[in-house]
Amino acid sequence: MLVRTLSKRSEFLAANRGLRYPMPGFVLLVRQRGDGDDSLGIGYTVSKKVGNAVTRNRMKRRFRELARAALPESGIAGADHVLIGRPGANEMGFAELGEHLDSALKRAAKKLAAKAP
Protein backbone atom coordinates (compact mmCIF):
# COMPACT_ATOMS: atom_id res chain seq x y z
CA MET A 1 0.00 0.00 0.00
CA LEU A 2 1.27 3.46 -0.87
CA VAL A 3 2.35 5.56 2.12
CA ARG A 4 2.96 9.25 1.57
CA THR A 5 4.55 11.69 3.98
CA LEU A 6 2.56 14.72 5.09
CA SER A 7 4.43 17.93 4.43
CA LYS A 8 1.98 20.84 4.48
CA ARG A 9 0.96 22.55 7.68
CA SER A 10 -2.69 22.35 6.60
CA GLU A 11 -2.46 18.52 6.54
CA PHE A 12 -1.17 18.48 10.12
CA LEU A 13 -3.88 20.91 11.26
CA ALA A 14 -6.54 18.76 9.58
CA ALA A 15 -5.18 15.64 11.31
CA ASN A 16 -5.38 17.50 14.61
CA ARG A 17 -9.17 17.66 14.18
CA GLY A 18 -9.34 13.86 13.95
CA LEU A 19 -9.13 11.14 16.59
CA ARG A 20 -6.40 11.24 19.26
CA TYR A 21 -4.80 8.20 20.87
CA PRO A 22 -2.36 9.19 23.64
CA MET A 23 0.29 6.58 24.45
CA PRO A 24 3.29 6.73 26.80
CA GLY A 25 5.85 7.67 24.09
CA PHE A 26 3.68 9.52 21.57
CA VAL A 27 0.22 10.70 20.62
CA LEU A 28 -1.29 9.19 17.47
CA LEU A 29 -3.67 11.39 15.47
CA VAL A 30 -5.83 9.68 12.83
CA ARG A 31 -8.18 11.44 10.43
CA GLN A 32 -10.14 9.98 7.52
CA ARG A 33 -9.54 12.20 4.49
CA GLY A 34 -12.70 11.18 2.68
CA ASP A 35 -11.21 11.97 -0.74
CA GLY A 36 -11.65 8.48 -2.19
CA ASP A 37 -7.87 7.87 -2.21
CA ASP A 38 -6.87 4.72 -0.29
CA SER A 39 -3.24 5.75 0.26
CA LEU A 40 -2.01 6.30 3.81
CA GLY A 41 -0.57 9.59 4.97
CA ILE A 42 2.01 9.74 7.77
CA GLY A 43 3.52 12.76 9.49
CA TYR A 44 5.90 13.18 12.42
CA THR A 45 6.19 16.09 14.78
CA VAL A 46 8.39 16.56 17.82
CA SER A 47 8.32 19.92 19.60
CA LYS A 48 11.25 21.71 21.20
CA LYS A 49 9.77 20.87 24.63
CA VAL A 50 10.97 17.30 24.06
CA GLY A 51 14.67 18.18 23.83
CA ASN A 52 17.45 19.51 21.67
CA ALA A 53 17.81 18.91 17.92
CA VAL A 54 19.75 15.67 18.38
CA THR A 55 17.03 14.24 20.64
CA ARG A 56 14.20 15.35 18.35
CA ASN A 57 15.85 13.98 15.21
CA ARG A 58 16.56 10.64 16.88
CA MET A 59 12.92 10.41 17.93
CA LYS A 60 11.74 11.18 14.38
CA ARG A 61 14.07 8.51 12.96
CA ARG A 62 12.64 5.96 15.40
CA PHE A 63 9.07 6.99 14.51
CA ARG A 64 9.81 6.66 10.78
CA GLU A 65 11.11 3.13 11.32
CA LEU A 66 8.09 2.21 13.49
CA ALA A 67 5.69 3.54 10.84
CA ARG A 68 7.57 1.72 8.05
CA ALA A 69 7.04 -1.55 9.93
CA ALA A 70 3.47 -1.06 11.20
CA LEU A 71 1.52 1.06 8.72
CA PRO A 72 1.38 -1.22 5.68
CA GLU A 73 -0.52 -3.91 7.69
CA SER A 74 -2.22 -1.93 10.48
CA GLY A 75 -2.66 1.53 8.97
CA ILE A 76 -6.12 2.81 8.12
CA ALA A 77 -6.68 3.15 4.36
CA GLY A 78 -7.61 6.65 3.22
CA ALA A 79 -6.51 8.24 6.49
CA ASP A 80 -3.74 10.56 7.61
CA HIS A 81 -1.71 9.45 10.64
CA VAL A 82 0.45 11.82 12.69
CA LEU A 83 2.86 10.76 15.43
CA ILE A 84 3.57 13.46 18.01
CA GLY A 85 6.63 12.73 20.13
CA ARG A 86 6.47 12.90 23.91
CA PRO A 87 9.34 13.32 26.35
CA GLY A 88 10.86 9.97 27.31
CA ALA A 89 10.08 8.15 24.05
CA ASN A 90 13.79 7.78 23.25
CA GLU A 91 14.36 5.97 26.56
CA MET A 92 11.64 3.42 25.75
CA GLY A 93 12.54 0.19 24.00
CA PHE A 94 11.84 0.02 20.28
CA ALA A 95 9.70 -3.11 20.67
CA GLU A 96 7.63 -1.43 23.40
CA LEU A 97 7.00 1.61 21.17
CA GLY A 98 5.98 -0.76 18.37
CA GLU A 99 3.45 -2.48 20.65
CA HIS A 100 2.01 0.90 21.65
CA LEU A 101 1.69 1.92 17.99
CA ASP A 102 -0.03 -1.36 17.09
CA SER A 103 -2.45 -0.98 19.98
CA ALA A 104 -3.26 2.66 19.05
CA LEU A 105 -3.82 1.70 15.39
CA LYS A 106 -6.15 -1.16 16.43
CA ARG A 107 -8.16 1.19 18.66
CA ALA A 108 -8.39 3.73 15.82
CA ALA A 109 -9.52 1.09 13.29
CA LYS A 110 -12.18 -0.20 15.70
CA LYS A 111 -13.51 3.30 16.40
CA LEU A 112 -13.58 4.26 12.70
CA ALA A 113 -15.29 0.98 11.80
CA ALA A 114 -17.98 1.68 14.40
CA LYS A 115 -18.44 5.22 13.03
CA ALA A 116 -18.82 4.14 9.41
CA PRO A 117 -22.42 3.70 8.22
Side-chain angles (χ1 to χ4, degrees):
M1 183 173 289
L2 184 70
V3 179
R4 64 181 190 79
T5 305
L6 305 182
S7 56
K8 295 191 202 107
R9 183 170 190 266
S10 61
E11 295 172 317
F12 284 90
L13 292 175
N16 200 34
R17 292 192 300 270
L19 302 170
R20 299 179 90 79
Y21 296 94
M23 295 308 227
F26 57 85
V27 177
L28 174 69
L29 305 177
V30 178
R31 178 179 166 269
Q32 285 290 129
R33 285 191 309 272
D35 58 3
D37 182 7
D38 274 354
S39 67
L40 303 172
I42 181 71
Y44 315 93
T45 180
V46 182
S47 81
K48 285 187 176 180
K49 287 185 214 168
V50 172
N52 63 13
V54 174
T55 304
R56 295 193 310 268
N57 288 335
R58 179 168 187 250
M59 194 175 289
K60 283 190 266 189
R61 282 194 306 273
R62 294 181 83 193
F63 285 165
R64 275 194 290 271
E65 197 50 46
L66 280 171
R68 197 171 289 131
L71 281 184
E73 314 75 68
S74 312
I76 294 141
D80 287 338
H81 307 70
V82 175
L83 286 170
I84 302 173
R86 286 181 144 181
N90 280 345
E91 286 73 50
M92 296 174 76
F94 194 74
E96 187 181 355
L97 278 173
E99 288 167 16
H100 289 311
L101 181 58
D102 282 340
S103 131
L105 286 168
K106 283 188 183 103
R107 283 172 45 205
K110 190 184 290 185
K111 183 134 187 188
L112 288 170
K115 245 189 198 182

